Amino acid sequence: MNEAASPIQYNLIICRYNEIGLKSRKVRSRMEQRLVSHIKKICQRENLSIVHAQREWGRFIFEFSLENMPKALKIFKYIIGLHSFSPAISVDCSNSSIIEKVKDFATADIKSGDSFVIRARRVKSHPKTSLEIEREMGEVVLDTAAKLGREIFVKMKNPTKTIYIEVREAATYFFSKKINTIWGGNPIEIDKPVIALWRGDFNDTVAAQLMLRRGSIIFPIIFFDEKNQLFNSHKTMSSAIEEIKLIAKYLPEPITVLQLDLHSLGEYLNQISDEAVKNILLAYSTMYLLDNLGKEVNFNRELRFNSKDLWIKGILTSFRLTDSLYCALGQNLTIPHFMPIIGLSNEMIQDVQIRLNMTSSQTQNDEFTVADIVLNHQNGDSFSKIKPESHQISIIKDVKLILEKNVSSELIILLDSIVNQRQKILVQGSIL
């Protein structure tokens, strides 16, 4: 006879990582600690109370109140450094407790016509092997379903329902789904900060996000003019801040945004009639400003995160192969220059843009990897669109000569004054 099933009341989230598991034991332990600390701070910012948190080898387990679980599941999708997570419930490790909980799952989750499989893992000290647990609990599910009048069957590959059982030292955990995070990646660490150029192109946001998921803290630099517009762009300052908020929501505290007013540089460059010379001087000025700004903020210890002074390790830009002039000048920077989208096609970048703009209700259950977007566009057509233009290559041959003739002491003084007059604001992001 069919009985009305009560839904499983999940109060735990089991978290899994991916790349951290490849590290040495010492590095892995350090990154685990930082990731747990990061998760706690994100939850605190989102006003989400954690009842209890613990680290186990290869797993993080967070306990929440029942009413906070829906909110927690939305937030954990945005945690950089996690590969996947599962809403879960736990019992003690006795065989009778495990059997009772399996009966609950069979009653609540498995309907007539479903196929199912049991997937078990256990610590070595447990008296039964994983395969023995799977067989025994599979029989429990079949018996329970038969008593309820439900016709179900075992299917080892691609079943409609899966019951996961993890037997640990102190408790046994049950869950029925694995939810991939949006970005995966490495935990965000304070020893990998970079400053990121914001020119008014959404590619700036894409480049920052790709670097962020590798564990770097991003400090945006906005080039703007006195009219409150982004320099050499139709976008306003407010639109740039909104884009930066897309990045800031992944960080547990407000990020510092540096602002450089380039109105005086614009006036200086507008006096030059030769467009080729003007473009070269603009590229030179851009890289000069970035390089000097990195040195200045390091020297003055201006950037802080997690109550610690940070030392900028690199400059991040969204330059691509079509920006061959900027790429060439970037080789002269004294600080490492990162260009994460340099080899990506427009279609690949658009994939990242779509994912960045997703809300919590729109997110897909697949983790982002650069390999995936390359495979999705491997027909080769997309790459033909990102070849350097011939006129840019010809200009680069004469760049050194043009700079020697046109980089005056007046321009250098102007650029130094722009750096010295930099402004700072704080930008806070939010997931929900």
Side-chain angles (χ1 to χ4, degrees):
M1 183 178 178
N2 242 319
E3 293 182 5
S6 299
I8 301 296
Q9 299 292 305
Y10 296 107
N11 67 329
L12 303 174
I13 292 182
I14 295 180
C15 305
R16 292 168 287 270
Y17 48 72
N18 194 355
E19 296 184 43
I20 300 178
L22 302 175
K23 309 297 182 182
S24 67
R25 182 177 291 268
K26 182 179 178 180
V27 174
R28 179 174 177 174
S29 177
R30 185 201 75 208
M31 296 182 82
E32 283 182 346
Q33 291 176 17
R34 291 184 178 179
L35 182 51
V36 170
S37 175
H38 173 77
I39 293 171
K40 289 179 178 179
K41 290 177 180 178
I42 289 286
C43 290
Q44 183 179 18
R45 187 197 67 192
E46 299 292 332
N47 295 315
L48 177 63
S49 298
I50 300 174
V51 177
H52 179 69
Q54 68 185 75
R55 260 196 320 144
E56 296 197 12
W57 192 247
R59 298 284 187 272
F60 307 135
I61 301 170
F62 293 87
E63 181 181 353
F64 298 94
S65 62
L66 294 178
E67 58 269 21
N68 277 336
M69 279 296 291
K71 183 178 181 180
L73 292 174
K74 291 180 180 179
I75 290 172
F76 271 68
K77 243 183 133 56
Y78 290 88
I79 301 295
I80 289 179
L82 293 182
H83 169 65
S84 66
F85 60 95
S86 300
I89 195 166
S90 67
V91 298
D92 61 61
C93 294
S94 66
N95 199 54
S96 59
S97 297
I98 295 174
I99 289 173
E100 287 304 312
K101 190 53 62 179
V102 168
K103 289 180 179 179
D104 291 342
F105 270 82
T107 303
D109 284 358
I110 302 179
K111 311 302 179 186
S112 186
D114 280 344
S115 59
F116 81 97
V117 70
I118 304 289
R119 296 298 182 198
R121 299 181 63 179
R122 93 281 186 257
V123 292
K124 290 183 178 180
S125 59
H126 191 74
K128 296 181 180 178
T129 66
S130 296
L131 185 57
E132 289 172 341
I133 295 173
E134 290 174 355
R135 287 173 175 170
E136 181 180 351
M137 297 308 146
E139 292 177 359
V140 171
V141 172
L142 290 171
D143 290 343
T144 303
K147 292 176 181 178
L148 296 173
R150 300 174 187 173
E151 295 183 2
I152 64 172
F153 59 97
V154 176
K155 187 178 181 183
M156 302 304 291
K157 292 185 178 180
N158 301 317
T160 55
K161 300 290 173 64
T162 302
I163 299 176
Y164 297 92
I165 304 173
E166 292 195 2
V167 183
R168 298 273 172 166
E169 295 285 357
T172 299
Y173 300 94
F174 296 82
F175 52 95
S176 59
K177 64 174 69 174
K178 295 181 178 181
I179 305 170
N180 286 330
T181 59
I182 301 176
W183 298 104
N186 282 333
I188 295 170
E189 300 187 272
I190 62 172
D191 57 350
K192 295 184 283 188
V194 296
I195 52 176
L197 174 61
W198 235 265
R199 300 179 297 167
D201 190 328
F202 196 79
N203 285 355
D204 301 332
T205 314
V206 172
Q209 182 63 25
L210 292 179
M211 203 69 178
L212 188 71
R213 71 177 293 272
R214 301 312 307 157
S216 292
I217 298 175
I218 307 298
F219 293 99
I221 304 171
I222 300 179
F223 284 5
F224 73 103
D225 63 26
E226 64 180 8
K227 298 177 182 178
N228 202 35
Q229 290 182 328
L230 299 199
F231 185 73
N232 203 28
S233 168
H234 66 279
K235 288 189 176 182
T236 63
M237 178 72 75
S238 60
S239 65
I241 297 300
E242 289 304 311
E243 290 177 356
I244 291 172
K245 286 181 179 179
L246 294 175
I247 304 299
K249 69 183 178 183
Y250 296 97
L251 295 168
E253 61 185 72
I255 59 174
T256 301
V257 177
L258 302 168
Q259 299 172 308
L260 297 184
D261 187 345
L262 270 61
H263 179 70
S264 56
L265 176 61
E267 290 185 333
Y268 180 93
L269 294 177
N270 285 334
Q271 298 173 12
I272 301 172
S273 57
D274 190 321
E275 286 298 319
V277 173
K278 183 187 295 186
N279 288 336
I280 290 175
L281 287 181
L282 174 58
Y284 170 83
S285 299
T286 298
M287 307 316 289
Y288 182 94
L289 289 170
L290 291 174
D291 202 29
N292 275 27
L293 186 61
K295 295 175 184 176
E296 283 292 311
V297 297
N298 279 343
F299 180 79
N300 296 313
R301 288 287 195 261
E302 291 183 33
L303 299 179
R304 293 175 61 82
F305 197 86
N306 196 22
S307 302
K308 295 183 179 179
D309 295 331
L310 300 187
W311 185 270
I312 295 301
K313 298 294 180 64
I315 293 169
L316 173 69
T317 68
S318 60
F319 297 139
R320 302 172 64 195
L321 291 178
T322 50
D323 300 308
S324 49
L325 176 58
Y326 287 87
C327 294
L329 292 172
Q331 296 176 14
N332 298 320
L333 293 173
T334 58
I335 299 177
H337 183 197
F338 300 103
M339 298 173 284
I341 67 170
I342 189 170
L344 300 185
S345 68
N346 292 332
E347 290 83 355
M348 296 175 184
I349 292 171
Q350 189 176 21
D351 283 355
V352 184
Q353 291 176 353
I354 292 171
R355 190 174 287 260
L356 266 170
N357 283 304
M358 284 179 175
T359 64
S360 58
S361 61
Q362 295 172 320
T363 53
Q364 302 171 358
N365 190 28
D366 60 328
E367 182 188 340
F368 171 85
T369 66
V370 174
D372 285 342
I373 61 173
V374 171
L375 290 173
N376 289 338
H377 304 285
Q378 59 183 345
N379 55 24
D381 295 338
S382 302
F383 290 96
S384 64
K385 303 175 184 177
I386 58 174
K387 295 178 181 178
E389 298 176 14
S390 58
H391 75 275
Q392 290 177 310
I393 297 175
S394 63
I395 288 176
I396 290 174
K397 294 179 181 179
D398 303 320
V399 164
K400 186 175 181 181
L401 180 61
I402 292 174
L403 290 177
E404 288 176 351
K405 289 183 177 180
N406 293 277
V407 176
S408 62
S409 59
E410 180 186 358
L411 177 59
I412 297 299
I413 292 172
L414 174 61
L415 295 176
D416 288 341
S417 69
I418 290 173
V419 171
N420 291 333
Q421 295 171 23
R422 59 190 175 276
Q423 304 169 32
K424 291 191 291 186
I425 61 172
L426 293 177
V427 174
Q428 173 75 70
S430 179
I431 294 174
L432 300 178

